[in-house]
């Protein structure tokens, strides 16, 4: 099993030391998120300060950007890292697209399919010299002059993974992508009963094999050197579960546990601005549905129970500035857990 950690993104001056430390500790990849900061800048700094560790966006918000600038920055990161970059994309929910990014909303799965197809068409144009001629309902790319065409890199095509919660996006990931980034708001039961079923359906449709398809995440991890620090992380997870459970887009996960009423109650509280009270509605039992919990010495076994047989990679950092670095020998304990994924094989 691969193990990921996040980069500090609030100050790019901190990235070189953090990236080198993650590589030295044995992490397989480092992830930059798009919450308060751009997801690409920190990875550019990390790319030229490391030699082995993978570099992932987890995730970059797709619809706020045209595929063309995303193709450009991904191309440059793949060159700078010598083939270690993985582009993770996400659609974000409707309210954020319309009101935070001021971009029009449409059903996300068909639009994201075009986004992935357009990226690959652009990259084939640059690498293979193919004529750029992509036309879809949402995106059209037909102009690429020599002045705007980067040189062939002879690097592998950038793997594309997408964030997915619901069945339509899961099927899309399995059909057209190189992997899926499961949300922290995911339980083992939801993974077993919904995620794997829909991914298999998509992979059958797209002629893809499970061994070349990476499943990342699918829950939270709450760990620390002692019980007190674990308890603090559990409270952090409790707040995140309450936050996501208040959003209808995530209610299918609650549905498999009969917890729809909790989601509706939290939704009402969020609209009333009662953010500081919402976590109290999430019981310890509900937290445990969403998280692997244990001290550093216990966490490998907890991850195996919570993620084993589903996930190929887990992130020890919770994002939003929450870091849970563990001793290097324990990183190796997690890395020894079994995984189906054998490596990306994105074809030109």
């Amino acid at each position: 099993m691969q193990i990921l950690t996040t980069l500090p993104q609030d100050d790019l001056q901190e990235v070189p030391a953090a990236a080198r430390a993650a590589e030295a500790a044995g992490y397989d990849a480092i992830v930059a998120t798009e919450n308060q900061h751009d997801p690409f800048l920190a990875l550019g700094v990390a790319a030229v300060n490391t030699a082995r560790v993978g570099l992932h966006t987890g995730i970059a918000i797709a619809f706020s950007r045209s595929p063309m600038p995303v193709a450009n920055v991904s191309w440059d990161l793949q060159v700078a890292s010598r083939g270690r970059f993985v582009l993770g994309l996400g659609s974000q929910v409707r309210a954020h697209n319309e009101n935070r990014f001021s971009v029009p909303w449409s059903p996300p799965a068909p639009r994201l399919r075009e986004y992935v197809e357009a990226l690959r068409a652009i990259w084939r144009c640059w690498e293979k010299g193919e004529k750029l001629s992509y036309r879809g309902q949402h995106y059209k790319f037909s102009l690429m002059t020599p002045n705007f065409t980067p040189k062939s890199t002879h690097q592998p095509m950038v793997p594309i993974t997408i964030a997915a919660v619901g069945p339509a996006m899961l099927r899309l990931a399995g059909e057209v992508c190189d992997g899926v980034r499961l949300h922290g708001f995911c339980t083992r039961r939801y993974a077993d009963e919904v995620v794997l079923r829909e991914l298999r359906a998509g992979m059958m449709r797209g002629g893809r094999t499970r061994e070349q398809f990476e499943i990342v995440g699918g829950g939270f991890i709450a760990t620390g050197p002692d019980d007190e620090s674990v308890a603090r992380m559990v409270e952090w997870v409790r707040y995140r579960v309450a936050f996501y459970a208040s959003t209808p887009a995530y209610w299918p996960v609650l549905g498999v546990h009969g917890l729809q009423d909790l989601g509706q109650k939290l939704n009402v509280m969020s609209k009333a601005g009662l953010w500081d009270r919402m976590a109290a509605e999430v019981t310890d039992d509900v937290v445990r549905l969403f998280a692997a919990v244990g001290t550093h010495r216990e966490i490998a076994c907890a991850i195996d129970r919570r993620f084993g047989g589903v996930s190929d990679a887990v992130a020890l950092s919770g994002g939003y500035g929450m870091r849970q670095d563990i001793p290097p020998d324990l990183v190796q304990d997690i890395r020894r857990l079994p995984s189906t994924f054998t490596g990306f094989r994105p074809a030109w």
Side-chain angles (χ1 to χ4, degrees):
M1 181 178 286
Q2 295 197 358
I3 181 167
L4 287 55
T5 188
T6 53
L7 281 172
Q9 293 176 248
D10 53 347
D11 185 350
L12 294 179
Q13 296 282 356
E14 299 176 4
V15 171
R20 289 191 293 264
E23 185 168 70
Y27 286 96
D28 294 282
I30 47 183
V31 182
T33 63
E34 184 163 17
N35 293 315
Q36 299 173 345
H37 303 281
D38 178 90
F40 297 107
L41 287 174
L43 292 180
V45 177
V48 297
N49 281 280
T50 55
R52 175 196 59 81
V53 70
L55 307 168
H56 298 197
T57 56
I59 50 77
I61 295 170
F63 302 148
S64 63
R65 302 174 174 90
S66 162
M68 186 61 73
V70 173
N72 272 125
V73 70
S74 299
W75 185 271
D76 292 342
L77 287 169
Q78 186 76 325
V79 172
S81 66
R82 302 302 187 261
R84 293 180 284 133
F85 178 60
V86 177
L87 176 63
L89 294 170
S91 61
Q92 235 326 336
V93 298
R94 180 171 188 164
H96 283 262
N97 275 272
E98 292 183 335
N99 302 320
R100 185 156 70 100
F101 294 106
S102 191
V103 293
W105 179 252
S106 60
R111 187 173 173 186
L112 197 55
R113 175 191 293 271
E114 288 190 15
Y115 205 103
V116 172
E117 293 171 345
L119 285 170
R120 290 175 175 154
I122 294 166
W123 291 332
R124 286 195 301 269
C125 171
W126 293 346
E127 181 69 24
K128 310 292 285 187
E130 294 184 6
K131 178 178 174 59
L132 182 58
S133 180
Y134 181 83
R135 285 178 171 80
Q137 179 181 352
H138 303 281
Y139 299 104
K140 181 187 78 170
F141 297 96
S142 59
L143 176 64
M144 185 56 58
T145 63
N147 190 54
F148 299 106
T149 304
K151 295 179 181 178
S152 174
T153 69
H154 307 294
Q155 296 290 342
M157 183 183 281
V158 174
I160 301 174
T161 67
I162 62 171
V165 176
M169 203 68 82
L170 288 164
R171 289 193 298 271
L172 177 66
E175 183 180 356
V176 306
C177 297
D178 301 295
V180 66
R181 308 193 75 88
L182 300 180
H183 203 283
F185 194 79
C186 181
T187 67
R188 180 58 191 253
R189 183 174 176 183
Y190 187 77
D192 288 337
E193 296 182 6
V194 179
V195 170
L196 292 179
R197 180 190 69 210
E198 301 300 340
L199 288 176
R200 283 193 293 264
M203 282 187 271
M204 287 182 61
R205 187 180 302 167
R208 294 173 173 268
T209 63
R210 175 66 179 87
E211 290 75 17
Q212 278 77 56
F213 185 89
E214 185 178 46
I215 300 177
V216 178
F220 295 102
I221 296 173
T223 190
D226 50 46
D227 291 340
E228 183 179 351
S229 56
V230 172
R232 286 196 297 270
M233 278 304 306
V234 165
E235 294 310 307
W236 182 87
V237 171
R238 194 188 310 277
Y239 177 83
R240 301 314 312 170
V241 169
F243 173 80
Y244 290 116
S246 71
T247 304
Y250 299 113
W251 288 355
V253 183
L254 296 177
V256 302
H257 297 277
L259 294 171
Q260 299 94 323
D261 289 348
L262 174 63
Q264 292 168 358
K265 182 176 183 178
L266 290 168
N267 180 258
V268 171
M269 294 178 72
S270 70
K271 291 178 178 178
L274 302 176
W275 297 100
D276 58 339
R277 303 183 192 177
M278 289 165 53
E281 302 296 326
V282 179
T283 66
D284 288 347
D285 288 343
V286 172
V287 170
R288 296 276 176 161
L289 291 175
F290 289 91
V293 180
T295 64
H296 286 169
R297 293 293 171 185
E298 300 165 341
I299 199 61
C301 290
I303 288 172
D304 193 23
R305 290 191 301 270
R306 178 62 182 74
F307 296 90
V310 175
S311 301
D312 304 302
V314 295
L316 270 185
S317 299
Y320 305 92
M322 181 63 69
R323 296 181 59 81
Q324 301 184 89
D325 296 320
I326 66 175
D329 61 320
L330 300 180
V331 171
Q332 297 308 315
D333 286 346
I334 298 171
R335 294 190 73 238
R336 282 189 284 268
L337 297 175
S339 166
T340 303
F341 179 65
T342 61
F344 291 116
R345 301 287 189 277
W348 282 106

